[in-house]
Amino acid sequence: MMNGGINMCMRKLKIGLDCDDVLYKCNSYVIQLENLKRTAEKREMLDFDSLTSYEAAGNELDIRFEYFKSREFYESQPIIEGAQAFVSELVGMGHDVFILTSIDSRYGDIRRQRISEDFPDVKSENVFISSRKDIFSVDIMLDDAVHNLQGERAVNTPFPILMKRPWNEDCRGIMSVLNYDEFIELVRYIEFSNYVGIGFNYNNVCNLIYVNEANKFYEQYEEEEAEPCRLISFEEMMKKYCTEMV
């Protein structure tokens, strides 16, 4: 339906979600397990925030790759707090949720079974286990690994969203979130951009965020009757949702 030239039809979005360190604890779980051993052995603890590289870094933190060879590890991976409610909310908003996960083929059966049990709102046909995320196309993709969002190995999506973790702190020029609530808020902005007919355009959504946040800022100062009222810059507004731009 059109109203004054504006497209008033809401489109169901295809939302892709990574698994490790987005829905399940992975690197943090490794460090938790390893530190239990180190406590018993009275050795120095590993620090999660020191895990600044997604790849092997040639230090003690590389021990995590040994855990990734264990069936028991994948069988016992804890669900990140709030992940189930987060997925249910996305599905409840009327969108198609896909889980795109890369795992050693030896443990794919565990991963698929866990997802089926832990995230029953996701259709089984919407779960894909593959290291080739670049063959998939979705409207929005949430991932903690930068190479899945930028470059030749990236998912095909107009909205790559980075889940902030210590190993991607140096990433530049990509929209990012700290938690599930921020991602839901971004999805709503993207929904609205389509609703008013501007389509799936990264810059337009950024502008919507800026305008909305600026309005909130003015409303806050009007309520507090504070003067002078300063409009926060676009760059400041985007810091809430975006990694530093180069």
Side-chain angles (χ1 to χ4, degrees):
M1 180 186 299
M2 299 294 291
N3 183 6
I6 297 177
N7 181 6
M8 303 300 287
C9 297
M10 214 41 129
R11 173 185 166 186
K12 178 185 288 190
L13 301 176
K14 294 180 179 179
I15 300 176
L17 303 175
D18 179 37
C19 218
D20 290 318
D21 291 310
V22 172
L23 300 178
Y24 290 102
K25 292 183 179 180
C26 185
N27 282 300
S28 63
Y29 185 43
V30 166
I31 291 177
Q32 175 188 335
L33 295 175
E34 181 63 16
N35 280 343
L36 285 174
K37 289 184 180 180
R38 288 172 173 248
T39 298
E41 298 168 359
K42 297 183 179 180
R43 297 165 59 201
E44 185 177 354
M45 298 293 101
L46 297 180
D47 178 19
F48 177 67
D49 290 331
S50 297
L51 187 56
T52 57
S53 174
Y54 190 83
E55 307 295 341
N59 57 37
E60 286 187 306
L61 290 166
D62 289 349
I63 188 65
R64 68 189 192 275
F65 296 107
E66 294 302 314
Y67 284 86
F68 298 159
K69 300 174 184 177
S70 164
R71 290 185 66 87
E72 290 75 15
F73 176 80
Y74 296 107
E75 290 170 341
S76 61
Q77 266 185 286
I79 305 168
I80 294 176
E81 183 178 357
Q84 290 168 308
F86 164 65
V87 171
S88 294
E89 183 171 358
L90 289 174
V91 173
M93 291 167 69
H95 301 305
D96 278 333
V97 174
F98 297 81
I99 293 180
L100 311 180
T101 178
S102 175
I103 190 173
D104 189 307
S105 60
R106 292 174 292 178
Y107 314 122
D109 59 323
I110 302 173
R111 176 57 52 85
R112 191 172 290 279
Q113 181 64 28
R114 286 292 308 274
I115 292 173
S116 175
E117 295 173 355
D118 299 332
F119 300 97
D121 291 321
V122 179
K123 301 174 184 176
S124 59
E125 60 266 31
N126 286 8
V127 178
F128 295 92
I129 299 176
S130 174
S131 60
R132 289 289 308 280
K133 292 189 178 182
D134 58 299
I135 66 175
F136 298 100
S137 296
V138 292
D139 295 313
I140 311 171
M141 182 68 200
L142 178 64
D143 207 307
D144 67 292
V146 177
H147 63 261
N148 289 327
L149 300 173
Q150 293 179 327
E152 295 181 355
R153 298 166 60 188
V155 175
N156 295 293
T157 178
F159 290 100
I161 311 296
L162 185 69
M163 178 63 88
K164 294 296 288 182
R165 296 289 185 244
W167 49 90
N168 59 42
E169 285 294 328
D170 292 335
C171 179
R172 298 291 182 267
I174 186 170
M175 197 173 285
S176 63
V177 295
L178 290 171
N179 52 52
Y180 298 137
D181 288 341
E182 287 190 357
F183 183 77
I184 292 288
E185 191 171 0
L186 273 178
V187 170
R188 295 196 185 283
Y189 276 115
I190 294 168
E191 283 180 327
F192 184 70
S193 73
N194 187 55
Y195 182 74
V196 298
I198 63 176
F200 297 104
N201 183 290
Y202 193 91
N203 291 331
N204 286 341
V205 170
C206 290
N207 287 332
L208 283 175
I209 294 172
Y210 173 56
V211 170
N212 189 57
E213 294 291 336
N215 286 338
K216 288 180 184 177
F217 180 86
Y218 275 122
E219 289 171 3
Q220 172 190 344
Y221 272 78
E222 284 180 2
E223 290 176 2
E224 297 177 358
E225 297 182 351
E227 293 292 342
C229 183
R230 180 179 71 90
L231 177 61
I232 293 177
S233 69
F234 175 80
E235 288 76 17
E236 289 177 280
M237 289 297 178
M238 285 308 297
K239 283 181 180 178
K240 178 177 179 182
Y241 295 104
C242 193
T243 56
E244 182 181 345
M245 304 297 288
V246 293

